[in-house]
Amino acid sequence: MRAHEAGALHGNDAAPTWLPYPSDVNTLIDGLWSRTTRRTEDGAVEVGGVSVARIAEEVGTPAFVLDEDDFRHRARAFRDAFAEAFRPLAGADVYYAGKAFLCGAVARWVEEDGLGLDVCTGGELAVALRAGFPGERIALHGNNKSLAEIRRALEAGVGRIVVDSLDEIDLVDAVAAELGLRAAVMLRVTTGVEAHTHEFIATAHEDQKFGLSLTGGTAFEAVRRVLAAEHLELVGLHSHIGSQIFDTGGFEVAARRVLDLVAQVRDELDHTITQLDLGGGFGVMYNTQHTPSTPEALASGIAGIVEKQCHELELEVPHVSFEPGRAIAGPSTQTLYTVGTVKDVRLGGPHHRVYVSVDGGMSDNVRTALYDADYSCLLSGRVSEEQPEVVRVVGKHCESGDIVVKDEYLPADVRRGDLVSVPVTGAYCYSLASNYNHVPRPPVIAVKDGEIRTLIRRETEEDLLGLDVG
Ligand code: LLP
């Protein structure tokens, strides 16, 4: 059991040891903010050439503010770094994992920038297709795909369906037969590697729902069945080991295990597997504890691993693909909130904690409550000369675990009406957003060259009431 963050027996107002006392509480910490974020002379933060004050006035708060240049720069950086590192081998390409954040505009950027797209539900597929994303560059995932999802994907001509279970082999084969085509499939292999990250988001250890286990021969049996199926074409093997991972150690073990299977298939079934997908999971900086690698370092590290292991197993190096989501979308976005109630809570003795309430909360960022994530934040509408003070930024929901930023230094004069920005909210915040307490979801706006463009509009009370048809 983990202790409740805001349970009855809290009572220590000290900053956690990892949180450094800021030399200047107004500073934008390097690496935390999207590439066009800066402070203007009047002290306000601007991003994409637009000040947060203007955003608050024109769009309102809370709002997800997406720095278009930043997103596209990262997408291209991953595309180029992997293409470059694997060029001397059999090449590599990058699929953006849409589960991190997807909308029509993002699908179009990803398309224009030459990446593929990983979708894992019919809904994500629908967004991609409506945006005109070419089917052959789409990969469909999912541990429980419906027949309708499989049919729609095949009709759209998706480049690959990543098959997740033995019975799904029969499903895809049957739908492909019905449509009179051969379906290109990858098999998702569970390598037993547990990534160094929070347990809830480590998806490749054995005792979980994803994939075909190497242990006990399930994955091998799946390969045998796909090769025997009339309407399936085996494109390759897939492995995804987890999320928010900072080093290549987990990829090394996973790649080795998948390549062992490639060798076994060669030896026992006389078939050459020519493609691997090593999934996503590259970590980002949410606070000063995190030190993410560059795309270049990741790409060259993993290319070296794959080359060495193929050499040891006397295998041709396969073409490799990757599926980063968080590392592309996460750092591009900040959530802009307006401060409401500021409460100084006495904790006994000399201890107290300042609770800064904002106009959103766990409905737009559930990651703090769900994964113990430690976000950062900044007073973004102005600078302050006041001393830094540790605060807890909380939302407006009817729940004490409704915490956005557990511990952060803000200036001691933070007050109602101030704007606060939380960086690195571009991945798994909007996509995990809810209407808890009937709070409408915030908009997602793109900012670039002084322009604001609404990508997803703010939900309204009418939207919510419109669903209530009973
Ligand atoms: N490929 C597959 C097969 C995946 O399952 C995932 C993430 C990715 C790629 C992208 O992983 P990324 O590069 O974004 O780490 N909601 C959690 C994360 C769940 C990840 C699920 N799968 C969170 O907010 O941390």
Side-chain angles (χ1 to χ4, degrees):
M1 266 271 294
R2 86 176 197 241
H4 199 293
E5 278 310 325
L9 293 178
H10 63 323
N12 185 351
D13 57 351
T17 47
W18 62 264
L19 185 67
Y21 186 84
S23 53
D24 178 357
V25 72
N26 300 303
T27 305
L28 292 158
I29 292 173
D30 256 7
L32 269 183
W33 298 89
S34 68
R35 56 194 282 115
T36 71
T37 308
R38 62 184 195 100
R39 273 213 195 262
T40 55
E41 261 146 40
D42 69 0
V45 166
E46 71 161 37
V47 51
V50 185
S51 81
V52 291
R54 190 180 134 201
I55 295 169
E57 198 181 303
E58 289 181 20
V59 178
T61 61
F64 289 98
V65 182
L66 192 164
D67 181 343
E68 180 172 340
D69 283 343
D70 188 278
F71 185 103
R72 300 191 72 164
H73 180 85
R74 281 175 212 276
R76 293 178 194 139
F78 273 96
R79 175 200 66 189
D80 292 346
F82 281 93
E84 195 55 40
F86 282 82
R87 200 184 310 282
L89 308 176
D93 47 26
V94 172
Y95 287 68
Y96 168 63
K99 66 206 82 185
F101 173 64
L102 191 63
C103 64
V106 160
R108 283 188 290 275
W109 298 341
V110 168
E111 198 277 313
E112 283 168 26
D113 290 339
L115 287 80
L117 184 64
D118 146 7
V119 299
C120 66
T121 61
E124 289 178 4
L125 180 60
V127 175
L129 294 177
R130 193 174 74 164
F133 204 93
E136 67 274 13
R137 281 163 54 197
I138 297 177
L140 176 70
H141 277 274
N143 69 300
N144 186 23
K145 303 173 190 74
S146 69
L147 271 178
E149 286 172 324
I150 294 169
R151 190 170 293 117
R152 189 172 196 185
L154 289 178
E155 281 169 352
V158 299
R160 54 175 77 156
I161 293 185
V162 184
V163 167
D164 203 89
S165 61
L166 287 175
D167 76 324
E168 198 180 292
I169 295 173
D170 301 334
L171 287 185
V172 180
D173 190 40
V175 179
E178 185 189 302
L179 297 175
L181 45 83
R182 277 190 98 203
V185 300
M186 275 197 154
L187 289 171
R188 176 151 175 187
V189 171
T190 317
T191 58
V193 176
E194 185 176 344
H196 297 284
T197 183
H198 198 291
E199 194 190 355
F200 295 160
I201 53 176
T203 51
H205 51 113
E206 290 287 335
D207 188 5
Q208 44 89 13
K209 67 176 184 172
F210 290 109
L212 297 143
S213 178
L214 285 169
T215 319
T218 311
F220 181 76
E221 172 60 14
V223 172
R224 208 188 52 71
R225 289 196 200 178
V226 170
L227 291 177
E230 200 182 331
H231 296 277
L232 301 182
E233 182 202 333
L234 183 61
V235 175
L237 301 180
H238 184 288
S239 151
H240 172 76
I241 59 169
S243 211
Q244 186 63 350
I245 302 166
F246 290 103
D247 60 38
T248 53
F251 290 98
E252 181 160 12
V253 181
R256 179 58 194 231
R257 293 185 182 167
V258 177
L259 287 167
D260 281 341
L261 178 60
V262 173
Q264 188 190 359
V265 168
R266 173 198 59 192
D267 297 343
E268 295 178 30
L269 301 176
D270 194 24
H271 177 85
T272 305
I273 288 175
T274 56
Q275 292 203 41
L276 282 192
D277 189 312
L278 293 177
F282 310 124
V284 300
M285 177 175 178
Y286 287 110
N287 59 57
T288 52
Q289 295 176 100
H290 300 141
T291 50
S293 301
T294 60
E296 292 74 20
L298 289 165
S300 70
I302 299 175
I305 288 167
V306 170
E307 185 181 18
K308 177 166 168 283
Q309 294 178 348
C310 287
H311 180 74
E312 284 166 12
L313 292 165
E314 295 178 16
L315 287 169
E316 293 261 316
V317 179
H319 179 276
V320 187
S321 46
F322 296 88
E323 299 170 337
R326 185 192 315 267
I328 292 175
S332 69
T333 299
Q334 54 182 279
T335 310
L336 184 63
Y337 297 105
T338 301
V339 171
T341 300
V342 178
K343 197 181 274 184
D344 193 347
V345 178
R346 310 313 303 181
L347 304 178
H351 298 295
H352 72 131
R353 190 188 306 283
V354 177
Y355 281 86
V356 175
S357 299
V358 294
D359 49 355
M362 67 193 303
S363 54
D364 58 70
N365 187 352
V366 75
R367 297 194 68 264
T368 307
L370 198 54
Y371 309 121
D372 267 342
D374 275 308
Y375 281 87
S376 312
C377 66
L378 184 81
L379 190 65
S380 53
R382 63 181 174 96
V383 287
S384 166
E385 300 305 318
E386 290 294 316
Q387 287 301 305
E389 165 177 67
V390 186
V391 306
R392 178 159 290 172
V393 178
V394 295
K396 62 178 290 166
H397 293 279
C398 197
E399 177 156 341
S400 55
D402 172 27
I403 297 169
V404 181
V405 184
K406 263 183 282 181
D407 302 284
E408 180 58 289
Y409 284 99
L410 286 182
D413 63 345
V414 59
R415 55 182 179 254
R416 182 177 288 277
D418 271 333
L419 294 173
V420 165
S421 290
V422 176
V424 201
T425 56
Y428 307 109
C429 287
Y430 190 87
S431 59
L432 284 171
S434 74
N435 293 121
Y436 186 33
N437 298 141
H438 278 246
V439 170
R441 274 174 289 204
V444 182
I445 58 154
V447 287
K448 179 177 160 60
D449 301 333
E451 302 279 329
I452 298 177
R453 180 154 68 109
T454 302
L455 304 187
I456 300 180
R457 71 161 168 81
R458 184 183 301 284
E459 256 173 10
T460 62
E461 224 168 80
E462 290 69 51
D463 290 328
L464 299 187
L465 293 176
L467 296 173
D468 187 345
V469 295

PDB file of all heavy atoms in Angstrom, residues 78 243-247 281-286 290-293 298 326-327 331:
ATOM      1  N   PHE A  78      13.802  12.346 -33.874  1.00  0.00           N
ATOM      2  CA  PHE A  78      13.749  10.886 -33.732  1.00  0.00           C
ATOM      3  C   PHE A  78      13.846  10.203 -35.093  1.00  0.00           C
ATOM      4  O   PHE A  78      14.593   9.240 -35.269  1.00  0.00           O
ATOM      5  CB  PHE A  78      12.480  10.452 -32.979  1.00  0.00           C
ATOM      6  CG  PHE A  78      12.690  10.458 -31.488  1.00  0.00           C
ATOM      7  CD1 PHE A  78      12.320  11.546 -30.715  1.00  0.00           C
ATOM      8  CD2 PHE A  78      13.304   9.385 -30.864  1.00  0.00           C
ATOM      9  CE1 PHE A  78      12.547  11.571 -29.340  1.00  0.00           C
ATOM     10  CE2 PHE A  78      13.537   9.382 -29.488  1.00  0.00           C
ATOM     11  CZ  PHE A  78      13.157  10.477 -28.726  1.00  0.00           C
ATOM     12  N   SER A 243       7.743   2.243 -20.244  1.00  0.00           N
ATOM     13  CA  SER A 243       7.644   3.657 -20.556  1.00  0.00           C
ATOM     14  C   SER A 243       8.453   4.479 -19.558  1.00  0.00           C
ATOM     15  O   SER A 243       8.684   4.032 -18.422  1.00  0.00           O
ATOM     16  CB  SER A 243       6.166   4.058 -20.489  1.00  0.00           C
ATOM     17  OG  SER A 243       5.882   5.093 -21.382  1.00  0.00           O
ATOM     18  N   GLN A 244       8.853   5.670 -19.993  1.00  0.00           N
ATOM     19  CA  GLN A 244       9.663   6.572 -19.160  1.00  0.00           C
ATOM     20  C   GLN A 244      10.962   5.849 -18.737  1.00  0.00           C
ATOM     21  O   GLN A 244      11.325   5.784 -17.569  1.00  0.00           O
ATOM     22  CB  GLN A 244       8.833   7.078 -17.958  1.00  0.00           C
ATOM     23  CG  GLN A 244       9.475   8.126 -17.065  1.00  0.00           C
ATOM     24  CD  GLN A 244       9.782   9.467 -17.752  1.00  0.00           C
ATOM     25  OE1 GLN A 244       9.690   9.606 -18.954  1.00  0.00           O
ATOM     26  NE2 GLN A 244      10.204  10.446 -16.993  1.00  0.00           N
ATOM     27  N   ILE A 245      11.646   5.332 -19.753  1.00  0.00           N
ATOM     28  CA  ILE A 245      12.882   4.569 -19.549  1.00  0.00           C
ATOM     29  C   ILE A 245      14.061   5.458 -19.946  1.00  0.00           C
ATOM     30  O   ILE A 245      13.999   6.148 -20.967  1.00  0.00           O
ATOM     31  CB  ILE A 245      12.878   3.307 -20.441  1.00  0.00           C
ATOM     32  CG1 ILE A 245      11.663   2.444 -20.112  1.00  0.00           C
ATOM     33  CG2 ILE A 245      14.161   2.511 -20.274  1.00  0.00           C
ATOM     34  CD1 ILE A 245      11.400   1.372 -21.155  1.00  0.00           C
ATOM     35  N   PHE A 246      15.112   5.413 -19.153  1.00  0.00           N
ATOM     36  CA  PHE A 246      16.228   6.332 -19.410  1.00  0.00           C
ATOM     37  C   PHE A 246      17.473   5.692 -20.000  1.00  0.00           C
ATOM     38  O   PHE A 246      18.349   6.381 -20.472  1.00  0.00           O
ATOM     39  CB  PHE A 246      16.600   7.085 -18.132  1.00  0.00           C
ATOM     40  CG  PHE A 246      15.539   8.072 -17.744  1.00  0.00           C
ATOM     41  CD1 PHE A 246      14.656   7.796 -16.724  1.00  0.00           C
ATOM     42  CD2 PHE A 246      15.396   9.249 -18.444  1.00  0.00           C
ATOM     43  CE1 PHE A 246      13.655   8.686 -16.389  1.00  0.00           C
ATOM     44  CE2 PHE A 246      14.399  10.157 -18.127  1.00  0.00           C
ATOM     45  CZ  PHE A 246      13.527   9.874 -17.093  1.00  0.00           C
ATOM     46  N   ASP A 247      17.594   4.378 -19.905  1.00  0.00           N
ATOM     47  CA  ASP A 247      18.825   3.810 -20.478  1.00  0.00           C
ATOM     48  C   ASP A 247      18.489   2.670 -21.428  1.00  0.00           C
ATOM     49  O   ASP A 247      17.333   2.277 -21.565  1.00  0.00           O
ATOM     50  CB  ASP A 247      19.795   3.361 -19.375  1.00  0.00           C
ATOM     51  CG  ASP A 247      19.183   2.303 -18.495  1.00  0.00           C
ATOM     52  OD1 ASP A 247      18.467   1.446 -19.038  1.00  0.00           O
ATOM     53  OD2 ASP A 247      19.410   2.334 -17.276  1.00  0.00           O
ATOM     54  N   GLY A 281       8.928   4.147 -25.328  1.00  0.00           N
ATOM     55  CA  GLY A 281       9.270   4.142 -23.910  1.00  0.00           C
ATOM     56  C   GLY A 281      10.378   5.094 -23.490  1.00  0.00           C
ATOM     57  O   GLY A 281      10.760   5.106 -22.317  1.00  0.00           O
ATOM     58  N   PHE A 282      10.896   5.897 -24.416  1.00  0.00           N
ATOM     59  CA  PHE A 282      12.011   6.780 -24.054  1.00  0.00           C
ATOM     60  C   PHE A 282      11.546   7.871 -23.088  1.00  0.00           C
ATOM     61  O   PHE A 282      10.531   8.510 -23.300  1.00  0.00           O
ATOM     62  CB  PHE A 282      12.632   7.387 -25.317  1.00  0.00           C
ATOM     63  CG  PHE A 282      12.959   6.346 -26.359  1.00  0.00           C
ATOM     64  CD1 PHE A 282      12.463   6.432 -27.640  1.00  0.00           C
ATOM     65  CD2 PHE A 282      13.746   5.242 -26.030  1.00  0.00           C
ATOM     66  CE1 PHE A 282      12.737   5.450 -28.589  1.00  0.00           C
ATOM     67  CE2 PHE A 282      14.029   4.254 -26.967  1.00  0.00           C
ATOM     68  CZ  PHE A 282      13.517   4.361 -28.244  1.00  0.00           C
ATOM     69  N   GLY A 283      12.330   8.059 -22.044  1.00  0.00           N
ATOM     70  CA  GLY A 283      11.928   8.947 -20.946  1.00  0.00           C
ATOM     71  C   GLY A 283      12.103  10.426 -21.254  1.00  0.00           C
ATOM     72  O   GLY A 283      12.866  10.815 -22.145  1.00  0.00           O
ATOM     73  N   VAL A 284      11.377  11.239 -20.525  1.00  0.00           N
ATOM     74  CA  VAL A 284      11.493  12.699 -20.656  1.00  0.00           C
ATOM     75  C   VAL A 284      11.770  13.310 -19.283  1.00  0.00           C
ATOM     76  O   VAL A 284      11.653  12.656 -18.251  1.00  0.00           O
ATOM     77  CB  VAL A 284      10.208  13.332 -21.235  1.00  0.00           C
ATOM     78  CG1 VAL A 284       9.907  12.779 -22.615  1.00  0.00           C
ATOM     79  CG2 VAL A 284       9.018  13.136 -20.305  1.00  0.00           C
ATOM     80  N   MET A 285      12.126  14.593 -19.301  1.00  0.00           N
ATOM     81  CA  MET A 285      12.437  15.306 -18.058  1.00  0.00           C
ATOM     82  C   MET A 285      11.166  15.974 -17.527  1.00  0.00           C
ATOM     83  O   MET A 285      10.664  16.919 -18.130  1.00  0.00           O
ATOM     84  CB  MET A 285      13.498  16.368 -18.362  1.00  0.00           C
ATOM     85  CG  MET A 285      13.878  17.230 -17.196  1.00  0.00           C
ATOM     86  SD  MET A 285      15.235  18.346 -17.673  1.00  0.00           S
ATOM     87  CE  MET A 285      15.434  19.287 -16.162  1.00  0.00           C
ATOM     88  N   TYR A 286      10.633  15.470 -16.434  1.00  0.00           N
ATOM     89  CA  TYR A 286       9.488  16.123 -15.783  1.00  0.00           C
ATOM     90  C   TYR A 286       9.960  17.051 -14.667  1.00  0.00           C
ATOM     91  O   TYR A 286       9.240  17.938 -14.228  1.00  0.00           O
ATOM     92  CB  TYR A 286       8.552  15.085 -15.167  1.00  0.00           C
ATOM     93  CG  TYR A 286       7.733  14.306 -16.180  1.00  0.00           C
ATOM     94  CD1 TYR A 286       7.981  12.964 -16.421  1.00  0.00           C
ATOM     95  CD2 TYR A 286       6.703  14.930 -16.882  1.00  0.00           C
ATOM     96  CE1 TYR A 286       7.222  12.250 -17.333  1.00  0.00           C
ATOM     97  CE2 TYR A 286       5.946  14.224 -17.803  1.00  0.00           C
ATOM     98  CZ  TYR A 286       6.206  12.890 -18.023  1.00  0.00           C
ATOM     99  OH  TYR A 286       5.460  12.186 -18.935  1.00  0.00           O
ATOM    100  N   HIS A 290      15.322  13.961 -13.618  1.00  0.00           N
ATOM    101  CA  HIS A 290      15.340  13.160 -14.841  1.00  0.00           C
ATOM    102  C   HIS A 290      16.386  13.657 -15.828  1.00  0.00           C
ATOM    103  O   HIS A 290      16.488  14.859 -16.070  1.00  0.00           O
ATOM    104  CB  HIS A 290      13.965  13.206 -15.512  1.00  0.00           C
ATOM    105  CG  HIS A 290      12.866  12.677 -14.650  1.00  0.00           C
ATOM    106  ND1 HIS A 290      11.612  13.242 -14.592  1.00  0.00           N
ATOM    107  CD2 HIS A 290      12.850  11.636 -13.787  1.00  0.00           C
ATOM    108  CE1 HIS A 290      10.858  12.553 -13.739  1.00  0.00           C
ATOM    109  NE2 HIS A 290      11.594  11.586 -13.234  1.00  0.00           N
ATOM    110  N   THR A 291      17.115  12.726 -16.395  1.00  0.00           N
ATOM    111  CA  THR A 291      18.156  13.092 -17.363  1.00  0.00           C
ATOM    112  C   THR A 291      17.978  12.260 -18.630  1.00  0.00           C
ATOM    113  O   THR A 291      18.642  11.234 -18.806  1.00  0.00           O
ATOM    114  CB  THR A 291      19.560  12.828 -16.775  1.00  0.00           C
ATOM    115  OG1 THR A 291      19.538  11.481 -16.248  1.00  0.00           O
ATOM    116  CG2 THR A 291      19.917  13.793 -15.688  1.00  0.00           C
ATOM    117  N   PRO A 292      17.074  12.680 -19.498  1.00  0.00           N
ATOM    118  CA  PRO A 292      16.831  11.882 -20.700  1.00  0.00           C
ATOM    119  C   PRO A 292      18.009  11.898 -21.667  1.00  0.00           C
ATOM    120  O   PRO A 292      18.769  12.867 -21.714  1.00  0.00           O
ATOM    121  CB  PRO A 292      15.615  12.560 -21.342  1.00  0.00           C
ATOM    122  CG  PRO A 292      15.488  13.887 -20.719  1.00  0.00           C
ATOM    123  CD  PRO A 292      16.230  13.882 -19.427  1.00  0.00           C
ATOM    124  N   SER A 293      18.129  10.816 -22.430  1.00  0.00           N
ATOM    125  CA  SER A 293      19.154  10.763 -23.482  1.00  0.00           C
ATOM    126  C   SER A 293      18.663  11.535 -24.694  1.00  0.00           C
ATOM    127  O   SER A 293      17.466  11.774 -24.841  1.00  0.00           O
ATOM    128  CB  SER A 293      19.372   9.324 -23.938  1.00  0.00           C
ATOM    129  OG  SER A 293      19.762   8.529 -22.879  1.00  0.00           O
ATOM    130  N   LEU A 298      20.325   7.485 -28.051  1.00  0.00           N
ATOM    131  CA  LEU A 298      19.479   6.286 -27.985  1.00  0.00           C
ATOM    132  C   LEU A 298      19.633   5.465 -29.256  1.00  0.00           C
ATOM    133  O   LEU A 298      19.810   4.245 -29.219  1.00  0.00           O
ATOM    134  CB  LEU A 298      18.012   6.693 -27.824  1.00  0.00           C
ATOM    135  CG  LEU A 298      17.631   7.286 -26.473  1.00  0.00           C
ATOM    136  CD1 LEU A 298      16.271   7.974 -26.567  1.00  0.00           C
ATOM    137  CD2 LEU A 298      17.608   6.192 -25.408  1.00  0.00           C
ATOM    138  N   ARG A 326       5.721   9.567 -25.770  1.00  0.00           N
ATOM    139  CA  ARG A 326       5.993  10.579 -24.750  1.00  0.00           C
ATOM    140  C   ARG A 326       7.155  11.499 -25.131  1.00  0.00           C
ATOM    141  O   ARG A 326       7.073  12.714 -24.943  1.00  0.00           O
ATOM    142  CB  ARG A 326       6.355   9.857 -23.440  1.00  0.00           C
ATOM    143  CG  ARG A 326       6.555  10.772 -22.245  1.00  0.00           C
ATOM    144  CD  ARG A 326       7.208  10.000 -21.083  1.00  0.00           C
ATOM    145  NE  ARG A 326       6.613   8.709 -20.860  1.00  0.00           N
ATOM    146  CZ  ARG A 326       5.620   8.451 -20.013  1.00  0.00           C
ATOM    147  NH1 ARG A 326       5.113   9.424 -19.297  1.00  0.00           N
ATOM    148  NH2 ARG A 326       5.140   7.232 -19.890  1.00  0.00           N
ATOM    149  N   ALA A 327       8.238  10.914 -25.674  1.00  0.00           N
ATOM    150  CA  ALA A 327       9.441  11.710 -25.913  1.00  0.00           C
ATOM    151  C   ALA A 327       9.232  12.723 -27.043  1.00  0.00           C
ATOM    152  O   ALA A 327       9.985  13.691 -27.160  1.00  0.00           O
ATOM    153  CB  ALA A 327      10.624  10.789 -26.221  1.00  0.00           C
ATOM    154  N   PRO A 331       7.301  16.935 -24.024  1.00  0.00           N
ATOM    155  CA  PRO A 331       7.927  18.241 -23.759  1.00  0.00           C
ATOM    156  C   PRO A 331       7.363  19.382 -24.578  1.00  0.00           C
ATOM    157  O   PRO A 331       7.690  20.538 -24.329  1.00  0.00           O
ATOM    158  CB  PRO A 331       9.404  17.990 -24.136  1.00  0.00           C
ATOM    159  CG  PRO A 331       9.569  16.501 -24.121  1.00  0.00           C
ATOM    160  CD  PRO A 331       8.251  15.947 -24.554  1.00  0.00           C
TER     161      PRO A 331
END
